[in-house]
Amino acid sequence: MSVTFHKQDSLFRLTTKNTLYAFELTHGTLVHRYYGKKRGATVPTSADIKGRVVSFSPYRDENDKAFSLDTQPLEYSYYGSGDFRPTALRIRNRHGDSVTCFEYVSHKIRRGAVDRAPLPSGRADEKTQTLDITLRDLVSDCELHLYYTVFYDCDIITRSAAVTNRSGADVVVEKLMSLCLDLAGEDYDVITLGGRHCRERTVYQRTPLFRGNLAITSRRGATSHQMNPFMAVCARGADENRGDVYGFNLVWSGSFLNECECEQTGSARIQAGLGSESFTYRLRDGETVHAPEAIMTYSPTGLGTMSRHFHDFVNRHIVPEKAKERRPVVLNSWEAFYFNINEDIMVDFAAAAADCGMDMVIMDDGWFGARVHDRAGLGDWFVNRDRFRDGLRPFVERVKATGVKFGIWVEPEMVNPDSDLYRAHPDWVVSCRERTRSLSRSQMVLDMSNPAVIDYLKASFTETFRDVPIDYFKWDMNRHISEPGSPNLAPEDQGSLSYRYMLGVYSLFDWFTKQFPHAMIENCSGGGGRYDLAMMYYTSQIWTSDNTGARDRVLIQYSSQLAYPASVMSCHVSNPKGDLHELDLKYKVAVGGILGYEFNVLNTDEAIKEEIRRQVAQYRTFDHLIQNGTHYRLASPYETELSAYYYQLGDEILLSAIHTNGSAVIGKKKTVTKLTVRTADKHASYRDLLGGGTYTGEQLRAGIEIGAFDLDETGYGAKLWHFCKL
Ligand code: DGJ
C-alpha cells in the first residue's frame, strides 16, 4: 500500500519507490510532518514536538497554546483564521467575508486517480492510489476535498483541491491553490524559468529564498512564454548531482500563481495553483470547482534526479498513448513558404520530403478561408479553393502518393475580425462590454467558455476533415487574453472566464483526440508558449520555440529539459543556407529532441539535400534513445561553454556536446574537459557507432576527453557519440 493511515499515531503516510510524505491529523487539522527519503525516515508527531507560544499568533483555544494555525506546518491553509502566511483558499461567503476554517470530516483511500474531467491529470496505472480527504467549513457551508495521488515508480505525488458549495446560496471562490507545502528550514534557493517569445525558458533564475513572498505567475490566460509553471526549491548547495531538491509543476495551461514565503518559524511555505489575478469563481449551491492537479517530487541527489522523475512521469502518466509510437521526421512548410502555399507547391514539397527520407509533410498556416496573410480568415475552417482547387481530400491523396504522411495546421481558439465567423458572431469573442477589443497579431480570442463556440468548431472540423486522411495536427495559439470577459456569462461569473476558457479548450482537445484517433497532435503557442503538462496530456510533442537558431535553441532546449522530457520537445532544422557547418550544428542541436525540418527544400542544392538524407538516416539509428531513454546532464550552457548531456537506454548511450561562446554563463564560468558517462556498465566495452572508437565502461565512467571542436567564427561547434555495448 502506498497510502496508509494509522489511528495510533494519526499519521497519513504516502510512499513512493524512494520517498516518504507524511502528515498528521490533529486538532481537526492536517499538519505536515515529513517529505524526504523513505529509507531511515523518522516521522515526528505532535506527541514528540513541544509547541511553544508565539506572541501575536492567534489561538482558537487559549488553553492549548501549543497549537496555533499561524505556526503549524499545514497541509492546506485558509484565509483569515489566524494563519498569516499566504493562504491556499479564500471563499467569500453569503455574509460577505472571505474567512474559512476547514476541519477534517473523513477520508478514503482508493485505487486510481481523480476524475476531474475535462481538466487533465496524471493517468493512473495499476499501482496508482489516491487519498481523498473531506473537510468542512461550518460558516461558508462548503466542503473541501484534498486529493493526494501517488505514482509510486516515478517518485511523484500529485496534489489538488476541490470545493463544493452546500450552503444553499452562492459563494465566491477567490483563491484555490492545488498544493500547499510547509517545508522546515528556510535556506533554500528557488529555480524558475522565465522568458519571452522566441526565448522561452531561457531566463534560468536561481534565487535565494528570503523573508517575504517570492511569486511566479501568469495573468495571460496561458501558462506563457514569459513564465513556466515549473519551480524547484532546493538546498543552497544543491547542484546537478547533489543536495535536496523539491520539484513542482501544474497540470494546467492557463493563468497561475506559484509562491514561496519564508516566515518567523523558520520554514518555507510553497504553493501552486489558481491564485492569480485572473481567477475568481462564483460557486452555486451544489456545484464543485476543481483546482488543477499539481505534481511534486523530492530528490536527495540534486536536480538531475528531479528531472528524471519528471521525465519518467510525463512519459508514463501524462502523454497520450499515441505519443508512444515512433515519431515522424516532418518537413514543415512555415519557414519554407510562410503564407505562400498552394496545392502544387505542397505536393512538390511532399515529394522532396520523401526524397530526403522524411516521414511526413506538414501544411502549416495559409490553407483555409481568406488566410493568405495573418490579417484574415482565422475561424473560417474551410479549404481555400483558389489554392486547393479540388478540395482537401484529392490534394492529400496526391501528397500521400509521394510516399509521406500528411499533417495540417489549425488554430481553433482564434478569430480574425476579417472573417466570416466574426462577421456572423461578433459576440463569440473574449471581451468586456463597452471596452475596446484589443488585437494581437490581428486576431481576437474566441470565447471557449461558450458551448456554442465549441459546437461551431466541432462542426467545422468535422465537415472539413471528413474523409481526409490526416496523420497529424499542429494546434497553434498565437495571442494572450486581454479584456478577460465573456458576453455569454452573467456579471457574477465574469471572473471565472480564464478558468472556464481552459475547460473549453480541454474539452475540444478531448473531442479532437476521439474524433481523429489516428492523428497525433503537436501543440504550439507561437512556439513554446504553452509548454506545460496539460498540453502534454493531449499532445505528443510541443513546438519548443519559433526560434530555430541553433545558438538560442541550445539554451531553450537545455532549460526546457529541467522539467520536461526530450520526447515532447519538437526541434526543427531550418534554413541551412548552403553552409554545411551550420547545417551540422543545427542538426546536432535539434537531435537533443524530436527531429524535423522546416525550410524550402525545393530550392536547396543537392549537396545540402544529400547531407540531410544522411542526417535523417543517422537519426533513425538512435531516435529511440531520445524518445525513450533516460537523460543525464553533464554541462550546463548557463555555467560552462558547453551544453553536454546523454541519453541511455538498455545497452546504448547517445552522448552530445555542443560548444557555445559562453555568453549565457551566469556568474563565474566553469571549465569542463571530460564527459563522464557515470551510468555506463563498468563490466562492458562500448563501440562508438558514429566515430568508430572502442571504450571500456570504466573509461566512460572515468570520463572521456572532449577533444577539439570544429568551431565556426561564432565559437560554436558540436559532437555526437553513439555508444553501443559490444
Ligand atoms: C506560430 C507558430 O509558432 C509557427 O510555427 C507557425 O505555425 C505560425 N504560427 C503560423 O501562423
Side-chain angles (χ1 to χ4, degrees):
M1 290 286 279
S2 49
V3 181
T4 58
F5 176 72
H6 291 290
K7 279 213 177 102
Q8 302 88 309
D9 56 10
S10 295
L11 279 178
F12 290 95
R13 286 184 172 79
L14 283 62
T15 38
T16 68
K17 193 154 71 176
N18 299 296
T19 70
L20 171 66
Y21 186 96
F23 55 95
E24 182 183 356
L25 172 60
T26 174
H27 297 73
T29 302
L30 303 169
V31 176
H32 181 73
R33 291 299 180 210
Y34 183 84
Y35 191 22
K37 270 189 212 167
K38 181 163 80 176
R39 188 187 288 184
T42 44
V43 180
T45 64
S46 40
D48 313 310
I49 298 168
K50 275 216 166 59
R52 64 190 169 98
V53 180
V54 176
S55 308
F56 287 87
S57 288
Y59 292 87
R60 296 174 75 74
D61 174 2
E62 275 245 305
N63 298 318
D64 183 6
K65 289 213 168 137
F67 194 88
S68 166
L69 290 175
D70 193 29
T71 55
Q72 295 291 327
L74 300 175
E75 283 298 305
Y76 208 67
S77 83
Y78 315 107
Y79 174 77
S81 283
D83 178 6
F84 296 117
R85 295 165 290 182
T87 45
L89 183 63
R90 216 171 45 221
I91 302 174
R92 186 149 33 88
N93 58 38
R94 62 187 183 285
H95 308 305
D97 70 75
S98 299
V99 177
T100 55
C101 191
F102 282 83
E103 297 211 349
Y104 170 90
V105 176
S106 63
H107 73 269
K108 278 184 259 171
I109 298 169
R110 58 169 194 262
R111 287 162 78 99
V114 181
D115 181 7
R116 309 179 177 81
L119 271 178
S121 41
R123 299 169 203 270
D125 64 14
E126 63 290 344
K127 283 196 191 161
T128 308
Q129 281 198 333
T130 293
L131 168 64
D132 171 355
I133 302 177
T134 307
L135 302 101
R136 188 117 193 179
D137 174 49
L138 294 177
V139 178
S140 67
D141 215 353
C142 285
E143 194 174 285
L144 170 67
H145 284 264
L146 296 182
Y147 299 108
Y148 298 76
T149 300
V150 178
F151 293 90
Y152 186 89
D153 290 329
C154 305
D155 284 321
I156 295 277
I157 297 172
T158 73
R159 307 270 308 265
S160 77
V163 178
T164 304
N165 180 2
R166 304 275 182 220
S167 72
D170 290 353
V171 298
V172 180
V173 182
E174 297 173 320
K175 186 174 184 185
L176 177 58
M177 300 307 256
S178 308
L179 168 153
C180 169
L181 172 62
D182 285 341
L183 284 179
E186 46 185 333
D187 288 338
Y188 296 107
D189 289 341
V190 178
I191 297 175
T192 56
L193 299 174
R196 62 180 166 85
H197 179 230
C198 285
R199 295 284 190 288
E200 296 91 334
R201 299 169 290 286
T202 56
V203 182
Y204 182 112
Q205 304 174 110
R206 183 163 178 159
T207 316
L209 265 190
F210 50 84
R211 286 287 167 104
N213 190 275
L214 189 155
I216 58 166
T217 190
S218 164
R219 307 173 192 92
R220 294 170 170 270
T223 35
S224 83
H225 312 77
Q226 287 74 7
M227 190 53 78
N228 196 269
F230 154 79
M231 180 168 83
V233 175
C234 53
R236 286 271 153 84
D239 61 19
E240 189 59 26
N241 299 310
R242 280 178 308 242
D244 287 336
V245 179
Y246 298 88
F248 305 94
N249 210 335
L250 285 170
V251 188
W252 177 243
S253 318
S255 300
F256 67 90
L257 172 73
N258 293 357
E259 55 186 344
C260 308
E261 187 165 313
C262 293
E263 47 74 54
Q264 59 173 350
T265 59
S267 66
R269 171 160 294 175
I270 323 284
Q271 300 205 112
L274 301 176
S276 91
E277 289 151 49
S278 333
F279 176 79
T280 58
Y281 194 100
R282 185 252 297 245
L283 195 65
R284 292 176 172 80
D285 182 42
E287 195 186 357
T288 299
V289 61
H290 278 272
E293 185 172 47
I295 72 169
M296 58 183 194
T297 192
Y298 163 73
S299 152
T301 46
L303 292 160
T305 304
M306 173 203 73
S307 297
R308 286 185 286 279
H309 290 171
F310 282 150
H311 296 177
D312 200 22
F313 178 68
V314 172
N315 285 330
R316 289 160 75 162
H317 298 285
I318 290 288
V319 293
E321 212 39 47
K322 194 84 194 144
K324 307 207 167 128
E325 292 172 13
R326 191 181 197 183
R327 302 297 166 72
V329 176
V330 306
L331 179 63
N332 181 297
S333 67
W334 181 245
E335 288 199 33
F337 312 115
Y338 296 103
F339 289 102
N340 304 316
I341 54 170
N342 63 36
E343 174 153 352
D344 291 337
I345 291 176
M346 285 307 304
V347 171
D348 290 349
F349 198 53
D355 175 45
C356 289
M358 299 177 203
D359 306 300
M360 192 185 278
V361 75
I362 310 299
M363 179 162 73
D364 210 283
D365 203 348
W367 60 268
F368 55 92
R371 187 76 172 168
V372 292
H373 46 62
D374 66 8
R375 298 180 303 285
L378 272 181
D380 297 340
W381 297 108
F382 48 84
V383 67
N384 178 339
R385 287 278 181 163
D386 293 339
R387 294 182 162 197
F388 300 87
R389 51 196 172 270
D390 303 318
L392 265 188
R393 190 187 158 122
F395 155 65
V396 176
E397 280 165 357
R398 284 183 69 199
V399 165
K400 295 217 163 176
T402 68
V404 289
K405 294 183 169 182
F406 176 76
I408 196 165
W409 180 95
V410 290
E411 191 176 2
E413 300 157 64
M414 298 291 153
V415 64
N416 287 118
D418 184 2
S419 65
D420 293 351
L421 177 63
Y422 189 73
R423 282 182 282 274
H425 297 286
D427 54 339
W428 277 9
V429 297
V430 170
S431 55
C432 295
R433 209 166 280 183
E434 296 173 32
R435 288 203 184 275
T436 301
R437 298 175 172 194
S438 303
L439 293 178
S440 181
R441 205 194 187 204
S442 305
Q443 63 198 54
M444 294 180 188
V445 184
L446 281 176
D447 178 5
M448 302 295 282
S449 76
N450 182 347
V453 172
I454 304 286
D455 289 346
Y456 162 81
L457 291 168
K458 287 181 183 171
S460 296
F461 291 127
T462 303
E463 179 61 24
T464 300
F465 298 141
R466 176 173 292 137
D467 300 330
V468 183
I470 295 173
D471 302 295
Y472 160 116
F473 289 100
K474 177 176 172 185
W475 179 312
D476 206 346
M477 186 273 203
N478 281 300
R479 68 157 289 183
H480 292 150
I481 294 180
S482 59
E483 296 87 33
S486 162
N488 190 50
L489 290 175
E492 298 81 358
D493 294 321
Q494 293 293 328
S496 63
L497 179 271
S498 298
Y499 177 81
R500 292 177 194 271
Y501 176 91
M502 280 323 311
L503 299 192
V505 171
Y506 295 140
S507 70
L508 191 65
F509 264 112
D510 186 53
W511 176 84
F512 245 82
T513 55
K514 291 176 179 140
Q515 181 76 3
F516 308 107
H518 304 298
M520 68 170 266
I521 310 178
E522 173 158 326
N523 175 253
C524 174
S525 173
R530 284 200 303 206
Y531 207 87
D532 59 63
L533 296 171
M535 284 295 145
M536 290 169 198
Y537 180 88
Y538 292 105
T539 66
S540 299
Q541 54 195 49
I542 299 190
W543 181 224
T544 312
S545 177
D546 275 349
N547 186 336
T548 50
R551 290 156 192 77
D552 293 323
R553 274 285 182 139
V554 171
L555 303 175
I556 294 168
Q557 294 177 193
Y558 186 89
S559 32
S560 296
Q561 285 184 275
L562 254 192
Y564 309 99
S567 60
V568 298
M569 195 163 72
S570 174
C571 306
H572 293 179
V573 173
S574 67
N575 287 319
K577 296 212 184 87
D579 173 349
L580 284 174
H581 187 281
E582 186 69 8
L583 178 60
D584 184 65
L585 178 67
K586 285 189 164 175
Y587 164 71
K588 286 182 179 149
V589 172
V591 298
I594 304 297
L595 177 69
Y597 290 82
E598 180 149 350
F599 68 97
N600 190 350
V601 69
L602 299 178
N603 64 11
T604 299
D605 65 51
E606 195 46 42
I608 295 273
K609 279 204 252 181
E610 193 45 41
E611 180 57 15
I612 289 170
R613 282 184 202 106
R614 201 194 58 78
Q615 290 180 347
V616 174
Q618 182 184 85
Y619 171 70
R620 283 310 190 198
T621 65
F622 54 61
D623 61 339
H624 53 289
L625 283 146
I626 298 159
Q627 197 179 323
N628 305 313
T630 306
H631 179 63
Y632 296 87
R633 288 183 291 265
L634 301 179
S636 162
Y638 297 99
E639 294 174 349
T640 73
E641 279 182 341
L642 288 181
S643 173
Y645 44 84
Y646 68 91
Y647 298 100
Q648 183 168 28
L649 185 68
D651 292 344
E652 292 175 78
I653 292 159
L654 180 71
L655 172 64
S656 172
I658 298 145
H659 193 284
T660 75
N661 66 5
S663 58
V665 172
I666 306 162
K668 199 164 173 285
K669 196 187 297 174
K670 295 182 189 157
T671 306
V672 178
T673 54
K674 283 182 169 187
L675 297 178
T676 314
V677 187
R678 63 188 168 86
T679 55
D681 178 353
K682 60 180 166 202
H683 305 296
S685 288
Y686 292 83
R687 182 154 182 80
D688 173 15
L689 302 181
L690 302 178
T694 302
Y695 302 80
T696 64
E698 294 281 18
Q699 278 174 317
L700 294 181
R701 290 162 71 101
I704 57 168
E705 293 294 335
I706 306 174
F709 283 85
D710 175 17
L711 297 181
D712 63 15
E713 64 288 353
T714 68
Y716 282 75
K719 290 184 179 190
L720 279 178
W721 297 258
H722 179 186
F723 302 113
C724 201
K725 257 191 209 175
L726 287 173

